[in-house]
Amino acid sequence: RLLIAQYTLQAAYHNAIDAGKTVMALLEFPLPSEHDAGEIDDEITEIQRILDQTKRATLLHAPALTQPTKIAAMQILETLLTPAWNIDPLLHRLIIAQMMRISLKDGHCPASATAYALYGVFVGSPYHDHAAANVWGALALKVSDLLQSPMHKAKTSCIVAAQILPLVRYIKESHRLEHDAYQIAMSAGEVHLAGVALTYRLAHLWHEGANLEQFLQHIAEFSAFTASTRDRYAAAVMTACQLIAHNLRGLTPDCQTFQTDTVSEEAFLQQCRDDRHTFAICAYYIMKARVLCLYGLFQEAQAALGRMKHLRQSMDGFLLCADAALAEAFCVIAKTADAPAEAR
């Protein structure tokens, strides 16, 4: 686990996944070397078969997972979630499915809370079953409480706040969970999770249409925290928001320039690519597209969206996907405005 975590912190995600696959093979839970969407559907079918034989209301009171090999497998799988999310979304979903099957068949462990929350994201976003997503998110929070795992309570609070609750509630209702996640993470010494909670807070302020001065103030405060913790992931998201806010405030030479006094768009994106910060790249291009639409620069907005299209699978459940869809709709309307009637 420490080796996988070390590779993950270094953004050496392929190495992390290779190490995880080696360990999982030793534990007799091999991860496939190749996988496709059909395997995901098979896993979902199997999970549904297990659920059909189990009352979901009784899952909270399922027995504890006691088999050492399966506990170890759950811990390794959980550690692999971040590298898989960054470079292999299909593997990420397969890992969630494996964690679900172990939890449903053999009992809870702290990592089960993570599995339930992410399964909620999965059924809520690609499968559009928002009510089921909400149920799984609530179960994840309760399991983390039941097993008295502060780290998992912080982690599941982040997931539910950012990827589940906005599907069924007003966005402002996510702030309580973000705050809880931050406080719990800090108390548990999980500064990376605290940074993640702050990035989600910032994203939600963007969606709420926060006053730009307030938005920039939050960026400054949160950036100071991420600098003190040397959290490159959270810092990348803060920088993305800063580039956008500076443009909107008219602090750049023109409306098509996105930069601050200390960082250019090119330098920011290159650093994100080097560190494989998928979320920061996607968030930046989506927010940039929305801003360009405000200026009536629809071709440029379409180009911005096209640059992160291959990364979209990593954005399941995030409201930024809705932002991207809205920007795409604006671009299509603009493109058809001057087209002949039959082409429209």
Side-chain angles (χ1 to χ4, degrees):
R1 286 172 66 194
L2 287 174
L3 181 61
I4 296 168
Q6 182 180 353
Y7 280 139
T8 301
L9 287 172
Q10 296 169 346
Y13 299 129
H14 288 288
N15 292 343
I17 290 171
D18 287 343
K21 286 181 176 180
T22 299
V23 178
M24 291 302 292
L26 291 172
L27 293 171
E28 299 184 355
F29 287 94
L31 288 171
S33 55
E34 296 182 5
H35 40 272
D36 56 37
E39 288 182 70
I40 305 293
D41 292 335
D42 291 342
E43 290 285 352
I44 296 299
T45 300
E46 174 61 16
I47 290 169
Q48 193 56 55
R49 187 191 67 77
I50 298 170
L51 286 172
D52 288 342
Q53 299 172 357
T54 310
K55 291 183 179 179
R56 196 174 302 177
T58 66
L59 287 177
L60 181 60
H61 306 290
L65 181 61
T66 57
Q67 297 161 272
T69 304
K70 291 184 178 179
I71 292 173
M74 287 288 286
Q75 292 171 340
I76 295 297
L77 288 169
E78 184 178 30
T79 312
L80 286 172
L81 285 168
T82 297
W85 180 62
N86 275 284
I87 62 171
D88 193 341
L90 284 179
L91 179 60
H92 183 255
R93 293 177 182 180
L94 277 173
I95 290 171
I96 295 168
Q98 282 210 6
M99 294 176 72
M100 282 291 293
R101 285 202 287 118
I102 293 172
S103 299
L104 293 174
K105 292 174 72 174
D106 300 296
H108 294 320
C109 68
S112 300
T114 305
Y116 294 148
L118 289 173
Y119 187 71
V121 174
F122 184 49
V123 299
S125 192
Y127 286 87
H128 306 294
D129 191 344
H130 298 166
N134 195 36
V135 170
W136 285 110
L139 177 64
L141 293 171
K142 289 176 182 175
V143 168
S144 63
D145 280 334
L146 185 68
L147 298 180
Q148 298 181 338
S149 174
M151 188 268 280
H152 287 89
K153 181 59 182 287
K155 185 181 290 188
T156 54
S157 294
C158 280
I159 296 168
V160 174
Q163 295 173 272
I164 293 178
L165 200 62
L167 297 173
V168 293
R169 297 280 191 274
Y170 289 114
I171 187 69
K172 64 182 179 182
E173 295 185 33
S174 294
H175 292 321
R176 176 184 57 80
L177 276 178
E178 297 154 13
H179 176 77
D180 289 350
Y182 176 80
Q183 295 294 337
I184 295 166
M186 290 298 291
S187 298
E190 297 285 345
V191 291
H192 173 69
L193 275 176
V196 170
L198 293 180
T199 65
Y200 292 161
R201 168 78 168 181
L202 208 54
H204 290 159
L205 288 171
W206 163 265
H207 294 306
E208 286 183 293
N211 175 279
L212 278 174
E213 293 296 341
Q214 179 191 10
F215 193 55
L216 281 165
Q217 182 180 347
H218 279 291
I219 292 171
E221 291 171 2
F222 295 170
S223 295
F225 173 80
T226 56
S228 69
T229 59
R230 299 183 182 180
D231 186 339
R232 293 167 70 110
Y233 166 82
V237 179
M238 307 295 173
T239 303
C241 293
Q242 197 171 30
L243 289 167
I244 298 300
H246 270 244
N247 177 283
L248 285 170
R249 286 283 289 112
L251 302 175
T252 56
D254 57 71
C255 64
Q256 294 195 58
T257 301
F258 292 79
Q259 65 184 36
T260 69
D261 295 336
T262 57
V263 64
S264 67
E265 178 184 55
E266 294 77 15
F268 161 71
L269 289 170
Q270 188 56 56
Q271 188 65 62
C272 285
R273 293 187 197 103
D274 291 345
D275 291 341
R276 295 184 175 88
H277 287 150
T278 306
F279 182 84
I281 294 171
C282 288
Y284 174 72
Y285 276 128
I286 292 169
M287 290 189 290
K288 180 180 179 179
R290 285 297 308 276
V291 172
L292 292 170
C293 285
L294 288 176
Y295 299 145
L297 300 171
F298 299 107
Q299 273 191 312
E300 291 81 356
Q302 188 80 61
L305 292 171
R307 291 189 183 100
M308 48 74 65
K309 195 170 185 178
H310 63 292
L311 303 173
R312 286 277 287 274
Q313 271 191 310
S314 298
M315 301 295 287
D316 284 350
F318 289 107
L319 274 183
L320 283 165
C321 290
D323 252 9
L326 186 59
E328 285 171 339
F330 288 146
C331 293
V332 170
I333 291 169
K335 189 182 294 185
T336 59
D338 299 323
E342 63 272 15
R344 290 181 200 173

XYZ file of all heavy atoms in Angstrom, residues 12-87:
589
model
N 3.022 8.876 -10.667
C 3.481 7.721 -11.464
C 2.371 6.668 -11.444
O 2.506 5.578 -10.873
C 4.775 7.163 -10.883
N 1.263 7.013 -12.089
C 0.051 6.212 -11.944
C 0.169 4.827 -12.573
O -0.380 3.848 -12.050
C -1.138 6.977 -12.527
C -1.406 8.291 -11.834
C -1.537 9.474 -12.558
C -1.520 8.355 -10.447
C -1.772 10.680 -11.925
C -1.762 9.559 -9.805
C -1.886 10.724 -10.551
O -2.117 11.912 -9.920
N 0.866 4.730 -13.693
C 1.042 3.410 -14.317
C 1.820 2.481 -13.392
O 1.480 1.298 -13.255
C 1.760 3.552 -15.666
C 0.915 4.154 -16.740
N -0.127 3.465 -17.343
C 0.946 5.387 -17.313
C -0.691 4.241 -18.249
N -0.065 5.408 -18.251
N 2.855 3.008 -12.737
C 3.625 2.204 -11.792
C 2.765 1.776 -10.608
O 2.870 0.645 -10.115
C 4.836 2.994 -11.292
C 5.869 3.222 -12.373
O 5.856 2.544 -13.399
N 6.758 4.174 -12.167
N 1.918 2.691 -10.146
C 1.033 2.387 -9.022
C 0.090 1.239 -9.379
O -0.112 0.296 -8.592
C 0.240 3.623 -8.623
N -0.487 1.305 -10.578
C -1.426 0.265 -11.006
C -0.706 -1.065 -11.213
O -1.218 -2.132 -10.815
C -2.168 0.710 -12.283
C -3.144 1.844 -11.933
C -2.917 -0.465 -12.920
C -3.764 2.516 -13.129
N 0.486 -1.025 -11.777
C 1.259 -2.269 -11.958
C 1.569 -2.915 -10.605
O 1.450 -4.142 -10.451
C 2.563 -1.978 -12.703
C 2.341 -1.671 -14.183
O 1.246 -1.991 -14.686
O 3.246 -1.100 -14.814
N 1.955 -2.098 -9.628
C 2.235 -2.628 -8.291
C 0.974 -3.226 -7.675
O 1.011 -4.305 -7.059
C 2.794 -1.525 -7.392
N -0.153 -2.538 -7.869
C -1.418 -3.040 -7.332
C -1.834 -4.356 -7.967
O -2.313 -5.267 -7.278
N -1.650 -4.463 -9.265
C -2.008 -5.709 -9.957
C -1.153 -6.873 -9.462
O -1.650 -8.009 -9.318
C -1.850 -5.535 -11.472
C -2.951 -4.692 -12.104
C -2.765 -4.572 -13.613
C -3.918 -3.814 -14.243
N -3.764 -3.671 -15.710
N 0.115 -6.608 -9.186
C 1.002 -7.661 -8.667
C 0.501 -8.167 -7.314
O 0.419 -9.376 -7.081
C 2.436 -7.118 -8.520
O 2.907 -6.704 -9.801
C 3.369 -8.184 -7.966
N 0.149 -7.237 -6.433
C -0.327 -7.623 -5.103
C -1.673 -8.341 -5.194
O -1.892 -9.354 -4.517
C -0.460 -6.379 -4.197
C -1.006 -6.778 -2.823
C 0.869 -5.690 -4.038
N -2.576 -7.830 -6.020
C -3.898 -8.450 -6.137
C -3.801 -9.871 -6.671
O -4.573 -10.751 -6.284
C -4.803 -7.602 -7.024
C -5.206 -6.270 -6.414
S -6.058 -6.426 -4.829
C -7.603 -7.185 -5.376
N -2.839 -10.125 -7.566
C -2.624 -11.490 -8.061
C -2.160 -12.400 -6.920
O -2.596 -13.559 -6.813
C -1.602 -11.479 -9.192
N -1.292 -11.886 -6.059
C -0.819 -12.674 -4.914
C -1.962 -12.974 -3.941
O -1.982 -14.022 -3.298
C 0.289 -11.916 -4.177
C 1.624 -11.764 -4.924
C 2.562 -10.842 -4.164
C 2.282 -13.135 -5.130
N -2.904 -12.063 -3.853
C -4.057 -12.243 -2.966
C -5.161 -13.078 -3.620
O -6.205 -13.316 -3.006
C -4.627 -10.876 -2.565
C -3.731 -10.005 -1.674
C -4.320 -8.607 -1.550
C -3.559 -10.635 -0.299
N -4.919 -13.497 -4.859
C -5.874 -14.305 -5.642
C -7.150 -13.539 -5.964
O -8.240 -14.095 -6.000
C -6.188 -15.629 -4.921
C -4.942 -16.495 -4.736
C -5.251 -17.852 -4.106
O -6.405 -18.089 -3.730
O -4.311 -18.660 -4.007
N -6.976 -12.223 -6.179
C -8.043 -11.372 -6.698
C -7.483 -10.610 -7.904
O -7.333 -9.385 -7.868
C -8.524 -10.377 -5.638
C -9.345 -10.963 -4.546
C -8.757 -11.366 -3.361
C -10.713 -11.153 -4.708
C -9.501 -11.916 -2.340
C -11.473 -11.702 -3.686
C -10.866 -12.090 -2.502
N -7.141 -11.315 -8.978
C -6.436 -10.660 -10.080
C -7.274 -9.579 -10.769
O -8.478 -9.733 -10.961
C -6.145 -11.815 -11.047
C -7.186 -12.847 -10.731
C -7.442 -12.725 -9.256
N -6.592 -8.477 -11.092
C -7.218 -7.435 -11.897
C -6.890 -7.708 -13.362
O -5.760 -8.084 -13.683
C -6.679 -6.059 -11.497
C -7.148 -5.515 -10.147
C -6.360 -4.259 -9.792
C -8.634 -5.207 -10.178
N -7.849 -7.550 -14.264
C -7.602 -7.871 -15.678
C -6.565 -6.954 -16.297
O -6.504 -5.764 -15.992
C -8.977 -7.668 -16.326
C -9.684 -6.709 -15.428
C -9.201 -7.021 -14.038
N -5.731 -7.515 -17.166
C -4.749 -6.698 -17.869
C -5.404 -5.870 -18.963
O -4.945 -4.782 -19.310
C -3.652 -7.585 -18.479
O -4.235 -8.571 -19.313
N -6.515 -6.385 -19.507
C -7.296 -5.638 -20.488
C -8.763 -5.673 -20.065
O -9.230 -6.651 -19.484
C -7.142 -6.248 -21.886
C -5.712 -6.165 -22.434
C -5.601 -6.730 -23.838
O -6.655 -7.105 -24.413
O -4.484 -6.791 -24.357
N -9.493 -4.611 -20.373
C -10.884 -4.531 -19.939
C -11.651 -3.617 -20.888
O -11.070 -2.769 -21.568
C -10.981 -4.010 -18.501
C -10.019 -2.905 -18.207
N -8.741 -3.131 -17.764
C -10.127 -1.561 -18.329
C -8.108 -1.986 -17.610
N -8.920 -1.016 -17.963
N -12.960 -3.812 -20.925
C -13.792 -2.975 -21.782
C -15.122 -2.710 -21.092
O -15.388 -3.206 -19.991
C -14.005 -3.627 -23.159
C -14.592 -5.026 -23.055
O -15.445 -5.257 -22.169
O -14.204 -5.896 -23.857
N -15.977 -1.932 -21.758
C -17.253 -1.540 -21.168
C -18.146 -2.750 -20.902
O -18.958 -2.743 -19.973
C -17.962 -0.546 -22.087
N -18.002 -3.812 -21.723
C -18.806 -5.015 -21.519
C -18.543 -5.650 -20.172
O -19.475 -6.176 -19.528
N -17.287 -5.623 -19.720
C -16.965 -6.178 -18.410
C -17.637 -5.382 -17.299
O -18.061 -5.951 -16.284
C -15.449 -6.186 -18.204
C -14.721 -7.228 -19.042
C -13.233 -7.220 -18.745
O -12.857 -7.633 -17.631
O -12.462 -6.794 -19.618
N -17.726 -4.076 -17.482
C -18.411 -3.237 -16.488
C -19.870 -3.653 -16.379
O -20.413 -3.814 -15.281
C -18.327 -1.745 -16.874
C -16.884 -1.310 -17.089
C -19.006 -0.890 -15.820
C -16.027 -1.297 -15.877
N -20.519 -3.837 -17.528
C -21.930 -4.251 -17.529
C -22.104 -5.605 -16.844
O -23.069 -5.810 -16.096
C -22.464 -4.319 -18.969
C -22.565 -2.945 -19.616
O -22.689 -1.960 -18.867
O -22.504 -2.855 -20.851
N -21.161 -6.535 -17.072
C -21.229 -7.846 -16.422
C -21.116 -7.707 -14.905
O -21.826 -8.382 -14.142
C -20.111 -8.762 -16.938
C -20.309 -9.167 -18.388
O -21.446 -9.036 -18.889
O -19.329 -9.598 -19.029
N -20.216 -6.829 -14.466
C -20.039 -6.611 -13.031
C -21.302 -6.010 -12.416
O -21.729 -6.411 -11.329
C -18.842 -5.679 -12.779
C -17.494 -6.298 -13.073
C -17.067 -7.288 -12.000
O -17.739 -7.374 -10.958
O -16.054 -7.974 -12.206
N -21.896 -5.050 -13.100
C -23.125 -4.420 -12.595
C -24.246 -5.452 -12.503
O -25.022 -5.475 -11.535
C -23.550 -3.247 -13.510
C -22.499 -2.146 -13.478
C -24.909 -2.707 -13.101
C -22.271 -1.534 -12.117
N -24.327 -6.321 -13.499
C -25.347 -7.381 -13.482
C -25.155 -8.293 -12.284
O -26.125 -8.673 -11.601
C -25.274 -8.202 -14.785
O -25.507 -7.337 -15.899
C -26.316 -9.316 -14.782
N -23.891 -8.654 -11.998
C -23.599 -9.524 -10.854
C -23.925 -8.828 -9.541
O -24.502 -9.436 -8.615
C -22.121 -9.938 -10.884
C -21.653 -10.736 -9.677
C -22.377 -12.064 -9.490
O -23.045 -12.529 -10.449
O -22.280 -12.632 -8.385
N -23.585 -7.549 -9.434
C -23.914 -6.795 -8.214
C -25.422 -6.721 -8.034
O -25.946 -6.895 -6.922
C -23.297 -5.378 -8.285
C -21.778 -5.473 -8.159
C -23.866 -4.477 -7.198
C -21.055 -4.187 -8.484
N -26.142 -6.496 -9.118
C -27.594 -6.426 -9.030
C -28.179 -7.770 -8.618
O -29.150 -7.831 -7.855
C -28.192 -5.982 -10.373
C -29.653 -5.582 -10.294
C -29.912 -4.501 -9.273
O -29.298 -3.437 -9.300
N -30.825 -4.776 -8.331
N -27.569 -8.862 -9.099
C -28.035 -10.196 -8.699
C -27.873 -10.402 -7.195
O -28.775 -10.912 -6.525
C -27.248 -11.267 -9.459
C -27.769 -12.691 -9.242
C -26.807 -13.722 -9.795
N -25.541 -13.752 -9.060
C -25.400 -14.330 -7.862
N -26.429 -14.901 -7.256
N -24.222 -14.316 -7.266
N -26.746 -9.976 -6.665
C -26.521 -10.088 -5.221
C -27.515 -9.217 -4.460
O -28.094 -9.633 -3.449
C -25.070 -9.689 -4.865
C -24.074 -10.624 -5.544
C -24.854 -9.704 -3.356
C -22.625 -10.155 -5.449
N -27.749 -7.997 -4.971
C -28.676 -7.086 -4.298
C -30.106 -7.603 -4.323
O -30.876 -7.388 -3.383
C -28.618 -5.697 -4.951
C -27.371 -4.863 -4.644
C -27.352 -3.610 -5.504
C -27.326 -4.499 -3.170
N -30.463 -8.300 -5.395
C -31.813 -8.867 -5.486
C -32.070 -9.905 -4.394
O -33.218 -10.165 -4.022
C -32.023 -9.512 -6.865
C -32.156 -8.472 -7.967
O -32.434 -7.305 -7.632
O -31.979 -8.830 -9.142
N -30.988 -10.491 -3.893
C -31.109 -11.500 -2.841
C -30.926 -10.892 -1.442
O -30.957 -11.600 -0.442
C -30.063 -12.605 -3.056
C -30.225 -13.334 -4.384
C -29.079 -14.284 -4.668
O -28.119 -14.375 -3.901
N -29.151 -14.992 -5.783
N -30.701 -9.579 -1.415
C -30.443 -8.897 -0.140
C -31.336 -7.673 -0.036
O -31.507 -6.937 -0.996
C -28.970 -8.433 -0.076
O -28.112 -9.515 -0.405
C -28.616 -7.897 1.304
N -31.883 -7.443 1.135
C -32.639 -6.226 1.358
C -31.656 -5.092 1.629
O -30.841 -5.178 2.542
C -33.582 -6.394 2.554
C -34.731 -7.359 2.298
C -35.663 -7.422 3.490
C -36.838 -8.372 3.230
N -37.740 -8.472 4.399
N -31.744 -4.040 0.820
C -30.772 -2.966 0.949
C -30.807 -2.347 2.345
O -29.786 -1.895 2.863
C -31.039 -1.898 -0.117
C -29.869 -0.948 -0.320
C -30.097 -0.005 -1.478
N -30.326 -0.701 -2.722
C -30.608 -0.103 -3.881
N -30.711 1.205 -3.926
N -30.806 -0.798 -4.981
N -31.982 -2.346 2.974
C -32.104 -1.760 4.306
C -31.277 -2.510 5.340
O -30.923 -1.965 6.384
C -33.577 -1.744 4.728
N -30.969 -3.785 5.059
C -30.205 -4.579 6.023
C -28.694 -4.438 5.825
O -27.920 -4.939 6.640
C -30.575 -6.072 5.901
O -30.150 -6.569 4.621
C -32.076 -6.271 6.040
N -28.266 -3.767 4.761
C -26.837 -3.672 4.479
C -26.075 -2.952 5.589
O -24.926 -3.292 5.883
C -26.604 -2.955 3.151
C -26.946 -3.735 1.882
C -26.731 -2.864 0.651
C -26.096 -4.988 1.778
N -26.714 -1.967 6.207
C -26.054 -1.224 7.271
C -25.642 -2.142 8.414
O -24.635 -1.915 9.081
C -26.964 -0.112 7.780
C -26.402 0.785 8.887
C -25.141 1.502 8.407
C -27.443 1.790 9.347
N -26.420 -3.180 8.625
C -26.166 -4.090 9.748
C -25.505 -5.390 9.293
O -25.572 -6.399 10.000
C -27.478 -4.385 10.473
C -28.206 -3.145 10.894
N -27.744 -2.323 11.909
C -29.340 -2.555 10.426
C -28.563 -1.296 12.050
N -29.540 -1.419 11.169
N -24.877 -5.347 8.129
C -24.152 -6.527 7.643
C -22.982 -6.817 8.585
O -22.472 -5.925 9.272
C -23.639 -6.276 6.230
N -22.533 -8.074 8.644
C -21.415 -8.408 9.526
C -20.117 -7.747 9.069
O -19.999 -7.321 7.920
C -21.322 -9.936 9.404
C -21.922 -10.245 8.064
C -23.023 -9.241 7.883
N -19.168 -7.666 9.976
C -17.865 -7.115 9.641
C -17.083 -8.108 8.790
O -17.214 -9.325 8.965
C -17.088 -6.791 10.906
N -16.313 -7.597 7.861
C -15.427 -8.442 7.057
C -14.269 -8.900 7.953
O -13.580 -8.074 8.560
C -14.894 -7.640 5.873
C -13.964 -8.365 4.889
C -14.668 -9.536 4.236
C -13.450 -7.387 3.839
N -14.070 -10.205 8.042
C -13.059 -10.743 8.970
C -11.926 -11.493 8.275
O -10.889 -11.739 8.901
C -13.724 -11.698 9.981
O -14.393 -12.750 9.261
C -14.718 -10.953 10.857
N -12.098 -11.861 7.010
C -11.068 -12.636 6.316
C -9.880 -11.748 5.970
O -10.019 -10.795 5.194
C -11.648 -13.260 5.050
C -12.764 -14.270 5.339
C -13.628 -14.520 4.116
O -14.601 -13.822 3.885
N -13.237 -15.510 3.320
N -8.696 -12.030 6.528
C -7.533 -11.149 6.329
C -7.197 -10.902 4.864
O -6.839 -9.776 4.486
C -6.400 -11.906 7.040
C -7.094 -12.762 8.050
C -8.392 -13.161 7.422
N -7.318 -11.941 4.038
C -6.970 -11.781 2.620
C -7.906 -10.788 1.938
O -7.470 -9.944 1.146
C -7.042 -13.132 1.893
O -6.194 -14.059 2.548
C -6.593 -12.999 0.447
N -9.184 -10.867 2.268
C -10.155 -9.975 1.630
C -10.057 -8.560 2.191
O -10.266 -7.586 1.455
C -11.561 -10.545 1.795
C -11.757 -11.815 0.966
C -13.168 -12.355 1.026
C -13.293 -13.591 0.127
N -14.650 -14.179 0.176
N -9.718 -8.438 3.471
C -9.489 -7.105 4.035
C -8.309 -6.449 3.317
O -8.358 -5.272 2.927
C -9.230 -7.184 5.552
C -10.509 -7.613 6.284
C -8.742 -5.830 6.085
C -10.314 -7.885 7.762
N -7.239 -7.230 3.131
C -6.061 -6.712 2.417
C -6.419 -6.327 0.986
O -5.977 -5.282 0.479
C -4.952 -7.753 2.420
N -7.228 -7.161 0.324
C -7.643 -6.865 -1.051
C -8.427 -5.555 -1.106
O -8.204 -4.719 -1.994
C -8.481 -8.009 -1.604
N -9.330 -5.355 -0.150
C -10.118 -4.118 -0.108
C -9.205 -2.904 0.089
O -9.399 -1.853 -0.540
C -11.150 -4.193 1.006
C -12.320 -5.125 0.726
S -13.449 -4.461 -0.541
C -14.279 -3.167 0.382
N -8.212 -3.035 0.940
C -7.301 -1.923 1.187
C -6.481 -1.584 -0.051
O -6.298 -0.399 -0.373
C -6.382 -2.276 2.365
C -7.111 -2.350 3.701
C -6.233 -2.906 4.810
O -5.226 -3.568 4.561
N -6.605 -2.632 6.056
N -6.018 -2.612 -0.746
C -5.240 -2.379 -1.970
C -6.120 -1.757 -3.052
O -5.728 -0.787 -3.721
C -4.612 -3.688 -2.482
C -3.581 -4.226 -1.483
C -3.965 -3.486 -3.854
C -2.389 -3.309 -1.262
N -7.310 -2.296 -3.217
C -8.224 -1.768 -4.236
C -8.546 -0.301 -3.965
O -8.568 0.522 -4.890
C -9.513 -2.595 -4.273
C -9.387 -4.002 -4.868
C -10.653 -4.812 -4.595
C -9.114 -3.941 -6.367
N -8.769 0.025 -2.699
C -9.074 1.418 -2.365
C -7.891 2.329 -2.704
O -8.074 3.440 -3.208
C -9.433 1.545 -0.891
C -9.863 2.952 -0.512
C -10.270 3.084 0.942
O -9.742 2.334 1.785
O -11.106 3.957 1.244
N -6.677 1.855 -2.431
C -5.485 2.646 -2.725
C -5.304 2.851 -4.230
O -4.723 3.850 -4.662
C -4.230 1.957 -2.142
O -4.487 1.583 -0.790
C -3.038 2.878 -2.165
N -5.813 1.909 -5.027
C -5.684 2.000 -6.485
C -6.710 2.929 -7.124
O -6.595 3.255 -8.320
C -5.834 0.611 -7.111
C -4.645 -0.341 -6.953
C -5.028 -1.739 -7.445
C -3.439 0.176 -7.727
N -7.714 3.362 -6.371
C -8.789 4.160 -6.965
C -8.271 5.458 -7.587
O -8.658 5.817 -8.701
C -9.858 4.473 -5.910
C -10.786 3.313 -5.542
C -11.583 3.652 -4.289
C -11.727 2.988 -6.706
N -7.385 6.158 -6.886
C -6.912 7.451 -7.398
C -6.086 7.306 -8.672
O -6.363 7.999 -9.667
C -6.120 8.205 -6.318
O -7.006 8.493 -5.230
C -5.543 9.500 -6.866
N -5.070 6.422 -8.707
C -4.336 6.294 -9.980
C -5.216 5.829 -11.134
O -5.079 6.305 -12.261
C -3.227 5.275 -9.660
C -3.593 4.640 -8.374
C -4.435 5.627 -7.635
N -6.155 4.907 -10.859
C -7.043 4.439 -11.927
C -7.945 5.569 -12.417
O -8.179 5.717 -13.625
C -7.876 3.262 -11.432
N -8.453 6.369 -11.507
C -9.330 7.487 -11.874
C -8.603 8.463 -12.795
O -9.199 9.012 -13.721
C -9.793 8.201 -10.604
C -10.697 9.373 -10.845
C -11.927 9.353 -11.425
C -10.441 10.738 -10.508
N -12.464 10.625 -11.468
C -11.568 11.489 -10.914
C -9.380 11.395 -9.893
C -11.658 12.869 -10.721
C -9.475 12.775 -9.704
C -10.597 13.499 -10.120
N -7.313 8.657 -12.561
C -6.556 9.631 -13.343
C -6.202 9.146 -14.742
O -6.104 9.967 -15.662
C -5.278 10.022 -12.593
C -5.522 11.131 -11.584
O -5.659 12.289 -11.949
N -5.603 10.768 -10.321
N -6.001 7.841 -14.941
C -5.524 7.403 -16.269
C -6.354 6.288 -16.896
O -6.181 5.990 -18.074
C -4.049 6.942 -16.211
C -3.875 5.729 -15.282
C -3.137 8.085 -15.790
C -2.498 5.108 -15.369
